[in-house]
Amino acid sequence: MPKVALYNQQGEQIGDIELSDDIFGVQINTAAMHQAVVAYLANQRLATAKTKTRTEVSGGGRKPWRQKGTGRARHGSIRSPIWRGGGIVFGPTGEQNFKQKLPRKIKRLALKSALTTKVNDGALIVLDKLTLPEPKTKEMAAILQRLQTGRKVLIVMEGSQENVIKSARNIPGVKTTHAGQLNVYDILNTDNLVLTRDAVNQIEEVFA
């Protein structure tokens, strides 16, 4: 079983904690992690690009010139796609669906691989507990500094700690989440992953 140090909020090591081999000690599957990250980013996309077709472009109700006798090519509207300023034929419609779905086994394998990567890199910090009596950004920043977490940190808690969430949200590079909402992209996109002991227990219970 992988073993990592257990810290308190003062940054002091108070012991060690053994992690499950089935979650934090699996064989790393890079392809699964790549699929999970691509799917996550795709699911964040919004179809905001939109172009107008010839039916949506204003003007063009009158035939630009008579059909015959001018020596020019015949045209019915200046809003034809072949005209400058005309409609777009195959442009984005604003209704594109970028959603991707992954099989459940791939999701779990990718998550376990990401957690194992953090353990192997020495980038996993486990806290005995993380509580604050009131929202205090300065206190949260001091805790992270004592733990030497680096600039980009993901804090994972077992439940909803409103004071911790409010204290961390104004610190650049710091993100908080619940153990049940953990995803591969957030894990890999950090310098250090901070888990509470309760979060570790929940992750091992859910993903075992």
Side-chain angles (χ1 to χ4, degrees):
M1 284 188 175
K3 182 183 290 186
V4 296
L6 181 66
Y7 295 92
N8 58 20
Q9 293 185 189
Q10 284 68 44
E12 303 166 343
Q13 183 175 347
I14 59 176
D16 296 318
I17 181 172
E18 289 188 347
L19 305 174
S20 171
D21 276 330
D22 295 334
I23 308 295
F24 298 91
V26 302
Q27 183 176 353
I28 296 175
N29 191 312
T30 306
M33 290 192 292
H34 178 264
Q35 283 183 307
V37 170
V38 170
Y40 175 84
L41 294 176
N43 292 335
Q44 307 306 306
R45 289 187 66 180
L46 297 176
T48 55
K50 171 72 170 69
T51 56
K52 292 183 178 181
T53 64
R54 65 180 298 164
T55 62
E56 297 170 319
V57 179
S58 62
R62 181 174 61 87
K63 189 174 175 64
W65 51 75
R66 60 194 176 95
Q67 181 83 347
K68 296 178 180 292
T70 64
R72 291 180 289 185
R74 53 192 173 188
H75 287 288
S77 171
I78 62 173
R79 295 312 178 204
S80 168
I82 63 176
W83 279 62
R84 182 176 180 273
I88 304 299
V89 183
F90 295 118
T93 62
E95 299 176 357
Q96 291 88 346
N97 184 1
F98 301 108
K99 299 297 182 184
Q100 293 186 18
K101 290 185 178 180
L102 287 180
R104 185 179 180 186
K105 288 185 178 180
I106 297 294
K107 286 182 180 180
R108 291 199 167 207
L109 177 59
L111 186 65
K112 293 176 182 179
S113 297
L115 291 171
T116 301
T117 299
K118 286 300 179 184
V119 174
N120 294 347
D121 293 344
L124 178 65
I125 300 172
V126 181
L127 285 177
D128 181 37
K129 61 180 180 179
L130 181 59
T131 57
L132 293 174
E134 59 179 347
K136 204 78 172 180
T137 301
K138 185 177 181 180
E139 179 61 28
M140 190 72 231
I143 293 174
L144 297 177
Q145 185 175 7
R146 289 193 291 266
L147 293 171
Q148 298 180 354
T149 56
R151 297 190 63 182
K152 297 185 73 174
V153 188
L154 176 64
I155 302 173
V156 184
M157 299 165 291
E158 184 270 335
S160 179
Q161 294 279 353
E162 289 298 326
N163 289 342
V164 174
I165 294 172
K166 291 179 180 179
S167 300
R169 66 187 178 187
N170 289 330
I171 304 176
V174 178
K175 185 175 182 179
T176 59
T177 187
H178 303 157
Q181 298 175 338
L182 202 55
N183 67 78
V184 176
Y185 177 80
D186 285 341
I187 295 173
L188 298 178
N189 192 33
T190 57
D191 295 328
N192 280 286
L193 176 64
V194 178
L195 300 174
T196 63
R197 189 206 293 260
D198 290 337
V200 171
N201 294 335
Q202 184 177 358
I203 291 172
E204 292 181 346
E205 180 180 350
V206 172
F207 298 104

